[in-house]
Amino acid sequence: MAGRIIVKKDKRTVSREIGLEIGSICGKYFLKLNHLHYGYWTDGLEVDIANVHIAQENYANFLISHIPESAKKILDVGCGTGQIAKKLIDKGYMVDCVSPSHFLAGQARKLLGNSSNIFECFYEKLQTENRYDVILFSESFQYIDIEEGLRKTLSLLNPDGYMLICDLFRKKTIEKSDISGGHQLELFQDTVSEYPLTIIKDLDITEKTAPNIDVINDMFKNAVHPTVILVQQLLENRYHFMSKCIKWLYRKKISKINRKYFNYEKTGEKFKKFKSYRLLLYKKSDSR
Ligand SMILES: C[S@@+](CC[C@H](N)C(=O)[O-])C[C@H]1O[C@@H](n2cnc3c(N)ncnc32)[C@H](O)[C@@H]1O
């Protein structure tokens, strides 16, 4: 097993990792969710929080169905809780994982035991002699610098290897979206075109993934926000002076949180306007 590589993380990275870890804990506890990615909403599947686990399984199966037939050895970059790696191992692939989160790496280790090398580090910092037939980024490419990610991928792929990305990208729009995440699609495509990688598949699954935003919006509106308001009321009632001070001291942060999480303007329709969710399969070609 690979050792733990300690790297200094910036504040944003730490918040993002903690956000994913909280998402994993709450998703598992309240909704029995095992995965940390969007769901793939097939026709006829009712868009309801109770069906998120089905949509997530659909996504995992959809993704796995696009692994090239010749592949044997896969590197799962940003493996989350290790669920996709587990499915791949059960299908007979050899799978190594990369996870910069100590917590998520622990979850993956529990699930995968000795069946996988889990490199606990950022992908950009990964050091290994191993080479892979497929390097898989399931909703993790958005967190990695494009050029650094491509260079690292080319160095770790076997000569006929593939890079498989399933992730959201930002469309080029004048208006700014309040839904965060994703590299700018055109910039990504222009950058990849400079590298010895040939596009094999480019599937737009935005329609199938957009309903996730409606589900999250609904959850924040009808469960998270009312709970936060009640807790605030409770604190004001019990610790009136202290809660007034906190509200005043952190007024800017509180209003930022309200704008970010409790504005209810993040909808599936908006997602379609500003984002493009793609499955992209590239084959390593001869260096030019
Ligand atoms: C949205 S989760 C997706 C998890 C998993 N791939 C899945 O599909 O369920 C994003 C994952 O990317 C990982 N990640 C974030 N930045 C990374 C980096 N620089 N290198 C490797 N993994 C990273 C996170 O720890 C997390 O596991």
Side-chain angles (χ1 to χ4, degrees):
M1 289 292 135
R4 194 175 169 207
I5 299 170
I6 310 287
V7 266
K8 207 164 180 277
K9 302 178 185 179
D10 62 45
K11 273 188 186 173
R12 229 174 126 208
T13 309
V14 173
S15 313
R16 200 181 59 211
E17 283 300 317
I18 292 176
L20 285 166
E21 290 161 5
I22 293 172
S24 157
I25 294 168
C26 294
K28 191 165 176 59
Y29 188 80
F30 293 112
L31 299 166
K32 306 280 170 260
L33 302 182
N34 290 319
H35 297 280
L36 255 185
H37 51 70
Y38 276 46
Y40 182 100
W41 297 83
T42 44
D43 295 339
L45 180 62
E46 191 193 344
V47 178
D48 187 279
I49 198 144
N51 289 333
V52 173
H53 70 287
I54 302 175
Q56 286 191 326
E57 281 302 315
N58 290 342
Y59 171 102
N61 295 334
F62 167 80
L63 177 62
I64 290 171
S65 73
H66 291 283
I67 303 258
E69 262 177 33
S70 57
K72 289 189 174 63
K73 201 155 186 215
I74 300 175
L75 180 66
D76 181 0
V77 179
C79 66
T81 54
Q83 292 289 336
I84 291 183
K86 172 89 171 78
K87 275 178 175 275
L88 291 168
I89 290 166
D90 290 348
K91 282 185 179 290
Y93 296 104
M94 282 176 280
V95 184
D96 286 349
C97 296
V98 184
S99 175
S101 154
H102 183 54
F103 174 80
L104 293 174
Q107 300 282 304
R109 246 177 229 123
K110 250 189 241 163
L111 184 71
L112 305 174
N114 288 326
S115 60
S116 173
N117 280 318
I118 298 179
F119 301 105
E120 199 174 317
C121 64
F122 288 94
Y123 182 54
E124 302 87 317
K125 306 277 176 203
L126 175 61
Q127 300 290 340
T128 175
E129 296 298 309
N130 298 348
R131 293 296 174 265
Y132 301 92
D133 303 318
V134 175
I135 300 194
L136 171 66
F137 299 87
S138 168
E139 251 174 58
S140 55
F141 200 86
Q142 58 180 293
Y143 303 116
I144 297 167
D145 175 79
I146 301 177
E147 300 234 30
E148 260 188 275
L150 294 176
R151 277 197 297 271
K152 181 55 92 179
T153 299
L154 284 164
S155 73
L156 294 173
L157 277 178
N158 281 324
D160 286 327
Y162 295 85
M163 170 173 82
L164 179 57
I165 297 177
C166 202
D167 210 337
L168 60 89
F169 292 86
R170 275 182 289 129
K171 290 185 187 172
K172 212 175 188 178
T173 50
I174 297 163
E175 219 182 307
K176 224 177 155 242
S177 166
D178 48 9
I179 304 170
S180 58
H183 291 297
Q184 213 255 311
L185 183 59
E186 272 182 37
L187 173 70
F188 171 79
Q189 287 164 332
D190 288 350
T191 312
V192 185
S193 70
E194 302 290 315
Y195 286 80
L197 287 159
T198 308
I199 186 88
I200 307 290
K201 285 183 189 177
D202 179 357
L203 306 178
D204 188 336
I205 57 165
T206 314
E207 282 285 338
K208 304 288 186 204
T209 49
N212 292 288
I213 303 296
D214 290 318
V215 172
I216 294 168
N217 197 31
D218 186 66
M219 182 179 77
F220 269 83
K221 190 172 173 181
N222 294 312
V224 179
H225 201 186
T227 308
V228 169
I229 290 171
L230 287 172
V231 171
Q232 269 174 3
Q233 284 173 6
L234 184 73
L235 292 176
E236 267 172 37
N237 186 281
R238 291 272 175 89
Y239 312 101
H240 185 71
F241 179 69
M242 198 172 76
S243 82
K244 280 258 178 251
C245 292
I246 291 173
K247 263 189 165 174
W248 187 81
L249 276 173
Y250 293 102
R251 60 194 181 284
K252 280 194 186 145
K253 277 233 172 320
I254 291 171
S255 106
K256 197 174 161 198
I257 289 171
N258 282 335
R259 274 199 314 277
K260 189 166 177 194
Y261 297 105
F262 304 131
N263 70 7
Y264 313 127
E265 280 167 16
K266 294 175 188 165
T267 61
E269 280 311 309
K270 269 204 169 174
F271 182 81
K272 287 190 249 178
K273 182 171 166 193
F274 292 108
K275 306 284 171 176
S276 183
Y277 204 113
R278 300 288 180 110
L279 178 137
L280 300 163
L281 180 66
Y282 290 88
K283 191 170 197 296
K284 186 173 173 178
S285 44
D286 290 339
S287 304
R288 280 165 253 163

